[in-house]
Amino acid sequence: MASQEYLDKMQLRQSYRNLWHTDLLSTIQADFPYCCLSLWCGPCVSYMLRKRALYNDMSRYTCCGGYLPCSGKCGESRCPEFCLCTEVFLCFGNSVASTRFMLQDEFNIQTTQCDNCIIGFMFCLQQVACIFSIVAMIVGSEEIQEAAQILSCLSDFVYCTVCACMQTQHKIELDKRDGVFGPPLPVMAPPTMQQMSRIDQPLPPNVGYPPPPSQPYGQPYGYPPPPPPPPQPYGQPYGNPPPPQGHAYGYPPPAYPPPGYPPAGYK
């Protein structure tokens, strides 16, 4: 049941239409100091971003954003700050991904194809490094062992770099929400956790997009409504032209007196 809900959420995110304020490739240029801070102190940055994503209300905190089976079962309600510290240090990757999912569900943000390629390359490189390490332990070859170590170092470097760029991307999106780049977004109240998880909605709302124009019932979208029919006189069938004046339903009036009347010899 939980896996099906997770798949439904992932499928629902494909219908999101908004984009991140900055993609992963532009985060270093957009905020280089914060990107360096995320690279050298990733868990601390993850703690601050999660707290900002919750509108600084730690009573709404759930382990890993409610996206894992352990969420809600770790005593978060008694000590949310300690649980968040444990999450960002012991499950750093899940903490970054959970904050990302929370922002996507709240603002209907989709991930671009370029960002998906970068994240997918990071995961694939980690899997290849793991496979090489297993093969090196089984075979015992020094060449394969050196190749496995090189791949492990490269995968760790890519992982740390991508996580730093992702956290910078989250920070810029939160700055946009809080009005750093202009007027803040109209938020009447912090959304609840159920509102962030849009699994109960078949389609996301139109955030930042004008609603589609309303069409009359039965009218195809994009076509103008048909013109009203012309008025018809009482008793005239619809669609037929009216008869000429003095005619009854298209027949000529009878001649009076009729020809041959009166008969010959009549006096």
Side-chain angles (χ1 to χ4, degrees):
M1 182 63 181
S3 60
Q4 183 63 33
E5 291 181 357
Y6 179 77
L7 293 177
D8 292 340
K9 288 181 181 179
M10 295 298 294
Q11 185 177 6
L12 182 61
R13 291 191 185 102
Q14 297 179 1
S15 63
Y16 292 168
R17 297 174 297 181
N18 298 336
L19 299 176
W20 295 97
H21 188 76
T22 304
D23 55 13
L24 288 179
L25 293 178
S26 304
T27 52
I28 299 178
Q29 182 181 1
D31 198 338
F32 180 76
Y34 199 89
C35 191
C36 294
L37 178 63
S38 302
L39 180 63
W40 297 108
C41 193
C44 298
V45 172
S46 181
Y47 181 93
M48 293 185 295
L49 291 177
R50 177 67 64 80
K51 191 174 181 179
R52 284 188 62 185
L54 295 173
Y55 296 86
N56 296 323
D57 184 9
M58 292 301 295
S59 62
R60 300 173 55 252
Y61 168 75
T62 305
C63 180
C64 295
Y67 298 101
L68 294 182
C70 63
S71 302
K73 304 176 182 178
C74 303
E76 300 95 329
S77 58
R78 293 191 297 269
C79 190
E81 290 81 5
F82 176 76
C83 291
L84 181 56
C85 289
T86 305
E87 176 188 342
V88 298
F89 279 99
L90 299 183
C91 305
F92 173 70
N94 289 333
S95 68
V96 175
S98 299
T99 304
R100 185 177 187 86
F101 292 153
M102 289 175 62
L103 294 177
Q104 285 185 285
D105 292 340
E106 182 179 358
F107 301 113
N108 298 335
I109 301 175
Q110 62 174 323
T111 303
T112 61
Q113 296 294 332
C114 182
D115 291 356
N116 284 330
C117 291
I118 294 175
I119 298 173
F121 173 75
M122 176 187 68
F123 288 132
C124 291
L125 190 59
Q126 289 178 344
Q127 298 297 324
V128 172
C130 181
I131 293 173
F132 265 74
S133 300
I134 295 174
V135 172
M137 288 189 297
I138 296 175
V139 177
S141 174
E142 295 183 357
E143 291 80 5
I144 299 179
Q145 185 68 31
E146 291 179 359
Q149 292 179 357
I150 294 174
L151 285 175
S152 297
C153 294
L154 183 60
S155 64
D156 292 340
F157 173 76
V158 173
Y159 174 78
C160 295
T161 304
V162 173
C163 286
C165 293
M166 289 175 64
Q167 297 210 92
T168 306
Q169 188 180 48
H170 303 165
K171 183 256 183 185
I172 295 174
E173 196 67 29
L174 290 172
D175 289 343
K176 176 184 176 182
R177 182 197 71 180
D178 298 337
V180 176
F181 306 119
L185 296 178
V187 178
M188 300 301 296
T192 60
M193 191 62 62
Q194 288 77 12
Q195 288 176 337
M196 286 185 177
S197 178
R198 303 299 179 96
I199 189 174
D200 57 339
Q201 300 181 9
L203 290 176
N206 298 317
V207 178
Y209 293 85
S214 59
Q215 296 289 333
Y217 180 77
Q219 176 66 23
Y221 181 78
Y223 292 90
Q232 298 289 335
Y234 180 76
Q236 176 66 22
Y238 180 79
N240 295 330
Q245 190 69 24
H247 290 206
Y249 294 98
Y251 294 95
Y256 187 83
Y261 186 86
Y266 177 78
K267 295 183 179 179

